[in-house]
Amino acid sequence: MKTVRQTWLLLTLLHLIPAILFWKMGFPAGFLTLAAVHLTLLGFTLCPRSTPLRPTRRYFSATGRTICLTIDDGPCADTPAFLALLAAHRAKAIFFLIGERAAARPDLVRAILAAGHQIGNHTHTHPEKCFWAYGPAAQRREIETCQEILGQFSARPPIWFRAPAGFGSPFTHPLLRESHLHCLGWTARAFDTRPTPIPVLLARLRPAFRPGAILLVHQGHPVSPALLRALLSELSSEGWTCELPPPAAPY
Ligand SMILES: [Zn+2]
């Protein structure tokens, strides 16, 4: 769907079908169709991968041993350590920043950009449990407020967006179009927000070591710097480089 209005129209039409079946064929047919419509929509909503209602880029085309590293949930206290590790490995990354954290630590945002990394929009308050359930007005507020804050740091506002935990809704894509943003997913993620041994976290990322893959790690957790250190060491030892992606392209 290209606009919020079209999305509302689609959702209305999808609910007309069970209503008509209920009227023509009775309660069981209407109820079962309504349940099928809602389960399908819920599946699209809670799937962090690309769906027809929410196209999401999960890899880039690349020929050499280049990988796109993305780092979520900053800026925070370990950002300087992250920047030092990336510099040591001559690696570039996209930092998906939370708007209110960026407003609180503008020095860290400037340090990220000064080091040649990109920043992406990760919503203003990071409502990871409920962003997907928000209506279009609340989602727009999260996206646009973060975009306004991050846009103050560079003449070129962010072009990439990532929903908290990757969960959006059918309204998310039309809202991103309004803000000229593209949804960036991942090829593999470490699930590194919970205490987990580093070898286990690396094992989750390693199968995605291929040209153009997008890796997702977090910052702000006890394991975060150690994981980044181990990941960059492994990538470097195997000849992989972490580079920024080409400009946003159609899905
Ligand atoms: Zn996040």
Side-chain angles (χ1 to χ4, degrees):
M1 292 294 103
K2 291 186 176 180
T3 66
V4 171
R5 187 186 294 253
Q6 288 176 344
T7 305
W8 275 123
L9 185 63
L10 173 71
L11 294 178
T12 304
L13 288 174
L14 284 174
H15 284 82
L16 275 178
I17 296 170
I20 291 170
L21 288 175
F22 180 81
W23 177 43
K24 293 283 189 186
M25 301 175 66
F27 177 79
F31 177 78
L32 287 174
T33 311
L34 183 66
V37 166
H38 277 236
L39 284 175
T40 304
L41 287 174
L42 190 65
F44 282 154
T45 296
L46 295 182
C47 177
R49 293 169 178 256
S50 187
T51 73
L53 293 177
R54 196 159 50 86
T56 301
R57 181 173 281 281
R58 295 180 52 230
Y59 54 85
F60 294 98
S61 59
T63 50
R65 291 174 78 81
T66 61
I67 268 181
C68 175
L69 177 62
T70 63
I71 300 167
D72 286 13
D73 292 359
C76 43
D78 60 14
T79 297
F82 270 58
L83 294 177
L85 284 167
L86 292 167
H89 288 269
R90 297 183 180 180
K92 299 298 180 195
I94 303 176
F95 285 77
F96 279 94
L97 303 181
I98 297 170
E100 61 183 7
R101 292 184 184 175
R105 293 300 306 267
D107 56 318
L108 295 179
V109 183
R110 282 192 281 271
I112 290 169
L113 290 170
H117 306 291
Q118 279 187 8
I119 57 175
N121 183 324
H122 200 36
T123 70
H124 182 53
T125 65
H126 199 265
E128 59 185 325
K129 292 189 172 65
C130 50
F131 179 80
W132 63 273
Y134 281 177
Q139 283 199 11
R140 180 185 281 114
R141 207 160 41 241
E142 284 287 338
I143 294 167
E144 289 185 353
T145 307
C146 182
Q147 194 72 351
E148 281 173 23
I149 291 169
L150 298 186
Q152 295 169 5
F153 293 96
S154 169
R156 298 176 61 194
I159 57 173
W160 298 115
F161 171 82
R162 178 173 286 160
F167 296 151
S169 78
F171 293 113
T172 307
H173 186 60
L175 293 169
L176 296 182
R177 286 176 62 93
E178 288 180 8
S179 293
H180 309 290
L181 285 161
H182 303 261
C183 194
L184 192 67
W186 54 82
T187 313
R189 56 177 161 172
F191 289 102
D192 52 343
T193 56
R194 282 159 275 174
T196 309
I198 297 293
V200 175
L201 298 175
L202 282 179
R204 293 171 181 159
L205 297 171
R206 200 174 292 118
F209 287 7
R210 52 183 185 268
I214 301 167
L215 303 183
L216 161 59
V217 297
H218 289 83
Q219 59 178 133
H221 299 277
V223 75
S224 299
L227 172 60
L228 184 69
R229 185 180 298 110
L231 176 61
L232 290 174
S233 294
E234 186 156 324
L235 287 170
S236 296
S237 69
E238 295 181 14
W240 293 96
T241 58
C242 297
E243 296 182 7
L244 296 175
Y251 296 102

